[in-house]
Amino acid sequence: MGVELRYGLRRALHSLRAPPTWQQRSCVASSHRTSRPSKAFSTSTSHRQEPFTAAPEINLSAENNIPILKRIRVVPASPSYFSGKPAFTDDLLALQALLRKYQTLPVVETGHAPRIAWRTFESYKSFLGSEPIKASKYQRLVAILHRLNHIHPSLMPQEVKDAMERYKREINPFANVAKPKPVDEWGRAMGLGRRKTSTARAWLVEGEGEVLVNGGSLAQYFGRLHDRESAVWALKATQRLDKYNVFALVRGGGVTGQAEALTLAVAKALLIHEPGLKPALRRAGCITRDPRKVERKKPGHLKARKMPTWVKR
Amino acid sequence: MSTIVIPPGRCLRTLPRALRPSTAPFSTSTHRSLPAPAKKKTGTFAPPKRGERTLKLKKRDVVRETRPPAPGERKAVRKRIVLSNTNALEPAGLVDLTADMAGAEEVRGRVVGIPGEVVDALRVVEGFKVGQGWAFFRRPAALMRNEVVELAREMEGVEQARGADERAVGSGVRDLGGQTLRKLVYGERGTGKSVLLLQAMATAFLRGWVVISIPEARDLYLGQTEYAPLPNTSPVQYTQNEYTAKLLAQIAKANRPVLSKLKLTHAHNLPIKIKPGLTLDAFAELGVNDPEIAWPVFQALWTELTAPAAEADAEGKAVAVPRPQILLAIDNVAPILRPTQYKTLDADGKLRPIHPQDFVLVKHFLDYFRGARTLPQGGLVLAATSGNETVKSDALSVGIAMAEARVANPENKQLKLGDFWNLYKEMDMRSLEAVMDVEALKLEGLSKAEARAVIEYWAGNGMVRSRVEEGFVGEKWTLAGGGVVGELEKAVVRMRF
C-alpha cells in the first residue's frame, strides 16, 4: 500500500508540472492494461498484477523545495483509489472515457451491429476476483459496450476493438449458425420434431394439401379432430395448407405427443421451403420445442412428487 | 344394637349413578350465551378406530327423481332416426331427384333432395342409419358424387339391355336375358358407403324397381333372431322366420306402388288358401302375419318376381309378363361371410357354429351376390362393407384384395389365392367363393369441388358458421383426411369451437 501511495504521489507531482487534460488522464486509465502495463496504477487484487518496480520515495520534507506542496493536497491518479471495488470502477471509467472519445463516430442502426455475447455477470465477477459488484452495475458496463459495438464497423478504431475484446465471452454462440438444409432433388424438405417421447419426421412437397401419416390418411391416423389440426397447424397458421403435401413418419409416445411432434416437424420442413415464414411460425408456436417431459419417480415417493399417506405410528 | 359404619366414599358408590351428586352445578335458568356450534360430522371421513381393521363409509342414498325409462325406451331413443331439422334454413335452389336425373351429367357433383315418397320408402327399408347426420338439415338430400352417377347409368343400362333382349328374343319367352350387376362397395370409415346404397335404392324406387334390402347383415349373424331347421333338408338348412316376416313386411310396404299392380300368376303350394288374382303386396303380407309360413311366402314371391307364368294375350298367345328389375342391397356384409354365432351339435356331439350359407335367406342373397343365380329381368346386387371392423371376415378381406389386384392389372385374369392368403391358414372357402370374383367399387374421399358443393349445401341450411371460401374448403378437406365425407361433416357441421 505504501508503495502504491508513493507511486501515486509521484504521479501527482508529475502532473503538477504538466497538468493533464481529462482525456489524457482517461487515456492513461484506459490503456494501462494494454499498452503500458508496467506503469499501471491499479488497486485491484493480486491476480491481475503485472510486474512493476517500486518508485522511489517522495520526500515531502523542506529540503525538497517544492513550494506548491505546502498549498495543495496530493490525490491518487485513479479516481477509484478510494473505492471498495476499484477494478470494476477502473473498467467502467475506462469504457466511459473511450465512449466519450469516440461518441461522434457514425453508428449503425440499432440491432444491426454484429452480435456479440458479452461475458455473463458471473463470468465477469470471477474474472475480477473476489470483488463484490452488483449485477445492475455490470449492466451499465454492458450498456456502454453495446453502444461501442454500434460504431460503424468500417470506422471502428483498433483501440475500441481491443477494449471490447476483454469483455467478450470466450466462445461466441452467435458464430454457431445452423447449416441450412436444402430441398432435395425430388422437391422434398425434411423436418424433424419432437414432443414428450414422440419423434416425427415430415417431408413437405408442393401439392394440394394431402397428408399421409405412417402410410394412412390424417383422419385414419388421428381420430380426434384436435390432433389433426395440431399435426398440420404450421401449414394452417401460415395459410399454406393447400400448397403442400405432407408425408410423415411418427414413432413413440401417445397420440397427442405424436400430433404435436408433427407440428414441429412440419414447421421445420416448411422453413426450408420458405425461410421468411419464421416469425409467423414463431407467433403460431411452431418453432420452440416444448421441453416438458414426464418427471421421474423418486425413491420414497409414490410418484414423482406424491408421498405416501402420513401415518402417526 | 350395633351400627354398621360405612365410610362416606363407599356409601356414595353404592347409590345409583343418577342420585350421585354431580360436580357440575345444576341450574334451571336459560343459557345466556349462544349454544355451541354443532360439531361437524367427521364420522365418514375419520380413520378407523384403533383395533378396527376396516374403514366403514356410509353410502349416500341415491334419490331418484324421475321415473326409470320403460323397457325399450332407451333403445328407441338410440335408434331413432330424425330426418329433418325445423330450425335449419330451406336451402335455395335444391331440386329433387327424379328418375331421369339420376344418371344425368348435370347433376354430377351437385346436392339433390330426396323426394318425400322415396324418403318414406327408404325409411321402411331402413336405408337411413343412425349417426348419419340427417338431423342437422332441413330435409334429406345427398351429393350426387361420381360413383353414384355412374351407378345410376349402369342401372339405366340394365333396363335398356332388358328392353333390347325382349325385342330380340320375342314374346312368350321366360328368360328375358337380363343383366345382373354385382358390386361390393368398400372404403374407409365415413366415405359414404351406406349413403351410396341409399342413393342406389332411391334411384331404384324412382325408376320403379323392386328394392329388397338387408339393412344390417349382422342381425342375421348374431344369433339374436330366432331360427329353425327346415324340414327334409340334408345337410340341415335353417330358416329365420321372424326376420323373414319382417323382411316381407318391408318389401310389401316399401314397394307397394309397384307390387300392387302385379298379380299372382302361379298356383303355389302353400299351407294356406290363397285367393286367385291377389296382388303381390297383399300376398307378401300373408307371410308377415304368420312367420311360420314366411319363408314359403318369400320363395313364392320371389318366383312371382323373377319367373312369372306366361299369360295369354288377346289372341290366345303366351305372353311374358313384364316384371320390374330388382335391387338387392346388403349393408355391413362382413358378418355373413364368416361362421355365425348360431351353434349346432355336430355328429361328434360338439357345438359348432352354423355357416351363414346354411341359412336359406342368407344363401338366397349370397347366391345372387356371387353370381350362382341371375335375375332374369336384370337387376343389381349391391353389398357394402362397414368401416367398423368389430366383426371381421377374412374371406371378405381376401375378396377385396383380389378385386383390387384385378383393377390394378386387368390383363392378369387368373389370380392365385396363395398370393392373397397364407394357404396353410384356415379359410372359410364357402364365404370366399361368394366374394372371389365380385366387382369391387372403392369409395374414397370427395374431390375438392364435390367437398365445396356439399359444404355449400350445409351452409345453405345455415349449419356452417364460416364463409365458404377456397381456403376454408381446402382446410377442412385436409382435416377430413382428403375429403372423407363423414369426417368432413364432423369438422364442418358438428364441431363447434
Side-chain angles (χ1 to χ4, degrees):
Chain A
M1 188 68 193
V3 172
E4 286 173 355
L5 178 62
R6 251 180 283 137
Y7 178 68
L9 289 173
R10 258 178 75 82
R11 285 186 53 80
L13 287 175
H14 177 76
S15 68
L16 285 175
R17 284 178 200 122
T21 61
W22 224 104
Q23 278 86 349
Q24 277 170 331
R25 268 210 283 149
S26 66
C27 277
V28 170
S30 67
S31 60
H32 66 250
R33 275 173 214 99
T34 53
S35 53
R36 290 185 288 167
S38 58
K39 285 189 181 177
F41 168 82
S42 169
T43 51
S44 67
T45 44
S46 59
H47 82 283
R48 282 207 299 141
Q49 273 189 350
E50 289 109 4
F52 66 93
T53 52
E57 199 175 344
I58 302 170
N59 189 359
L60 291 174
S61 62
E63 307 93 80
N64 194 349
N65 194 11
I66 304 172
I68 200 169
L69 274 180
K70 288 169 186 163
R71 287 188 286 112
I72 61 157
R73 190 166 56 90
V74 177
V75 290
S78 165
S80 67
Y81 183 81
F82 297 107
S83 160
K85 347 173 186 172
F88 170 74
T89 315
D90 278 353
D91 285 350
L92 185 64
L93 289 172
L95 286 178
Q96 277 174 342
L98 204 58
L99 178 58
R100 197 172 296 113
K101 185 173 174 186
Y102 294 115
Q103 66 186 353
T104 51
L105 287 181
V107 291
V108 291
E109 230 175 284
T110 314
H112 284 70
R115 290 191 79 181
I116 295 177
W118 306 111
R119 280 177 187 279
T120 59
F121 176 55
E122 293 303 321
S123 144
Y124 179 69
K125 264 210 312 197
S126 63
F127 176 67
L128 285 191
S130 58
E131 200 173 293
I133 46 167
K134 285 182 183 169
S136 57
K137 291 282 164 60
Y138 181 59
Q139 282 307 311
R140 282 175 61 194
L141 198 135
V142 171
I144 298 172
L145 285 169
H146 190 69
R147 169 63 183 77
L148 286 173
N149 189 34
H150 273 72
I151 295 173
H152 200 283
S154 60
L155 298 168
M156 180 76 81
Q158 188 60 39
E159 194 185 353
V160 178
K161 281 184 197 165
D162 293 343
M164 288 199 302
E165 206 55 46
R166 175 177 150 78
Y167 300 97
K168 282 183 185 171
R169 243 184 258 175
E170 266 147 34
I171 295 165
N172 181 13
F174 303 120
N176 186 13
V177 183
K179 230 186 276 174
K181 284 180 190 159
V183 177
D184 72 6
E185 56 189 316
W186 309 101
R188 302 174 300 189
M190 200 274 268
L192 179 78
R194 292 201 175 93
R195 169 87 170 91
K196 289 180 170 184
T197 50
S198 309
T199 307
R201 276 171 294 160
W203 285 266
L204 224 65
V205 288
E206 287 180 22
E208 290 92 44
E210 290 168 33
V211 184
L212 279 181
V213 184
N214 286 358
S217 77
L218 196 60
Q220 280 172 326
Y221 198 76
F222 293 115
R224 283 178 71 210
L225 206 58
H226 186 276
D227 289 335
R228 284 179 221 163
E229 284 211 353
S230 294
V232 293
W233 179 247
L235 294 170
K236 193 186 165 187
T238 51
Q239 281 95 47
R240 295 293 189 280
L241 205 46
D242 51 353
K243 308 273 191 297
Y244 292 98
N245 287 352
V246 182
F247 50 100
L249 295 177
V250 206
R251 299 278 179 271
V255 177
T256 308
Q258 292 195 336
E260 290 177 11
L262 262 176
T263 312
L264 238 61
V266 172
K268 282 190 189 170
L270 181 58
L271 278 183
I272 295 170
H273 281 286
E274 297 180 58
L277 287 178
K278 191 158 186 178
L281 286 172
R282 187 176 290 289
R283 282 196 298 279
C286 303
I287 299 289
T288 313
R289 203 273 206 211
D290 190 343
R292 291 175 296 173
K293 288 211 164 197
V294 173
E295 189 175 333
R296 68 150 290 186
K297 184 198 173 298
K298 282 96 183 172
H301 287 245
L302 296 177
K303 303 198 290 178
R305 305 199 180 173
K306 187 183 183 184
M307 288 293 281
T309 319
W310 182 78
V311 182
K312 197 174 178 188
R313 272 172 291 276
Chain B
M1 166 174 188
S2 65
T3 54
I4 304 164
V5 180
I6 305 170
R10 223 172 165 195
C11 164
L12 281 175
R13 246 178 280 149
T14 54
L15 277 172
R17 189 173 287 266
L19 295 179
R20 282 185 224 165
S22 70
T23 51
F26 175 78
S27 166
T28 53
S29 62
T30 50
H31 285 281
R32 304 191 74 184
S33 58
L34 279 172
K39 266 191 182 176
K40 274 183 188 170
K41 279 182 187 171
T42 53
T44 51
F45 299 106
K49 284 173 191 160
R50 288 187 80 185
E52 269 182 37
R53 313 217 96 210
T54 52
L55 177 67
K56 287 174 194 160
L57 294 174
K58 272 188 187 171
K59 274 186 189 166
R60 220 177 269 169
D61 289 340
V62 178
V63 183
R64 194 183 275 272
E65 287 169 356
T66 52
R67 64 169 183 87
E73 196 178 317
R74 282 201 188 118
K75 187 174 182 181
V77 170
R78 204 170 66 232
K79 299 278 177 190
R80 187 182 53 182
I81 285 163
V82 181
L83 293 182
S84 92
N85 174 6
T86 47
N87 291 323
L89 305 174
E90 182 74 56
L94 182 70
V95 291
D96 272 356
L97 188 66
T98 59
D100 304 328
M101 201 197 273
E105 193 57 43
E106 63 263 24
V107 292
R108 195 189 287 270
R110 278 179 62 195
V111 177
V112 294
I114 302 171
E117 67 276 10
V118 178
V119 168
D120 293 342
L122 288 171
R123 235 184 211 287
V124 173
V125 295
E126 296 179 37
F128 299 103
K129 299 283 167 68
V130 186
Q132 277 176 340
W134 303 104
F136 288 116
F137 311 113
R138 187 77 188 188
R139 64 194 189 85
L143 174 76
M144 297 300 280
R145 56 194 290 179
N146 264 342
E147 292 84 350
V148 177
V149 175
E150 293 304 325
L151 192 64
R153 286 186 177 180
E154 289 186 50
M155 287 167 79
E156 270 173 43
V158 167
E159 288 173 16
Q160 282 160 8
R162 180 242 177 129
D165 282 339
E166 256 179 320
R167 279 192 296 279
V169 172
S171 55
V173 179
R174 288 268 198 83
D175 185 3
L176 300 169
Q179 188 187 0
T180 310
L181 293 176
R182 301 175 291 126
K183 276 183 196 293
L184 174 68
V185 187
Y186 73 103
E188 73 175 84
R189 211 172 102 158
T191 41
K193 302 175 289 293
S194 295
V195 174
L196 183 128
L197 242 60
L198 175 119
Q199 285 174 294
M201 285 194 277
T203 311
F205 278 124
L206 284 169
R207 300 190 77 91
W209 291 30
V210 171
V211 176
I212 298 175
S213 158
I214 296 182
E216 188 59 73
R218 196 177 49 210
D219 295 343
L220 295 167
Y221 148 92
L222 269 181
Q224 290 176 353
T225 179
E226 66 164 46
Y227 72 119
L230 198 61
N232 312 321
T233 48
S234 175
V236 185
Q237 304 281 290
Y238 301 88
T239 54
Q240 288 154 310
N241 291 332
E242 285 289 348
Y243 192 93
T244 312
K246 207 182 94 193
L247 186 67
L248 281 173
Q250 284 188 356
I251 295 170
K253 198 172 172 196
N255 300 292
R256 200 174 302 281
V258 179
L259 295 186
S260 59
K261 287 181 198 138
L262 306 176
K263 287 181 180 162
L264 285 178
T265 54
H266 288 279
H268 298 285
N269 184 19
L270 289 171
I272 52 166
K273 250 190 167 181
I274 297 160
K275 271 193 283 178
L278 201 61
T279 56
L280 290 190
D281 61 326
F283 176 64
E285 273 164 1
L286 295 177
V288 178
N289 303 329
D290 188 0
E292 287 294 303
I293 58 162
W295 175 245
V297 169
F298 181 83
Q299 276 181 309
L301 179 69
W302 193 258
T303 313
E304 291 293 339
L305 283 174
T306 54
E311 284 179 345
D313 66 356
E315 295 166 14
K317 272 185 172 177
V319 176
V321 183
R323 289 297 194 220
Q325 284 82 3
I326 295 175
L327 170 62
L328 290 180
I330 314 170
D331 203 354
N332 187 10
V333 75
I336 53 169
L337 294 169
R338 53 166 292 164
T340 64
Q341 293 196 350
Y342 290 98
K343 298 284 196 301
T344 184
L345 272 178
D346 65 3
D348 304 335
K350 281 185 181 165
L351 274 180
R352 63 166 179 83
I354 302 178
H355 195 274
Q357 292 187 33
D358 288 337
F359 290 97
V360 281
L361 187 66
V362 176
K363 187 172 189 306
H364 177 85
F365 279 94
L366 286 182
D367 278 350
Y368 285 94
F369 183 61
R370 73 165 198 254
R373 296 168 75 182
T374 53
L375 297 162
Q377 75 276 43
L380 175 62
V381 188
L382 259 187
T385 63
S386 164
N388 182 342
E389 289 194 329
T390 41
V391 183
K392 279 183 195 166
S393 162
D394 294 333
L396 183 62
S397 319
V398 171
I400 290 172
M402 290 172 93
E404 277 181 341
R406 239 174 275 127
V407 172
N409 188 5
E411 283 107 59
N412 187 5
K413 300 280 181 199
Q414 295 297 315
L415 295 175
K416 280 183 243 161
L417 181 60
D419 294 342
F420 303 93
W421 182 252
N422 180 358
L423 294 178
Y424 293 99
K425 280 168 85 179
E426 203 179 339
M427 166 56 78
D428 175 12
M429 290 309 288
R430 281 172 86 183
S431 294
L432 183 62
E433 273 165 23
V435 285
M436 236 160 103
D437 65 338
V438 77
E439 187 190 337
L441 171 64
K442 185 173 187 182
L443 284 193
E444 286 170 330
L446 303 178
S447 69
K448 279 195 181 166
E450 286 171 332
R452 180 163 193 146
V454 80
I455 291 176
E456 273 172 355
Y457 164 71
W458 294 337
N461 275 274
M463 298 303 290
V464 182
R465 292 203 172 175
S466 327
R467 289 182 63 184
V468 185
E469 288 163 341
E470 201 186 335
F472 177 78
V473 174
E475 177 204 321
K476 298 299 176 193
W477 184 86
T478 301
L479 291 181
V484 173
V485 64
E487 298 292 340
L488 200 65
E489 189 194 70
K490 226 191 258 178
V492 177
V493 180
R494 292 179 194 239
M495 204 65 179
R496 294 272 182 250
F497 289 107

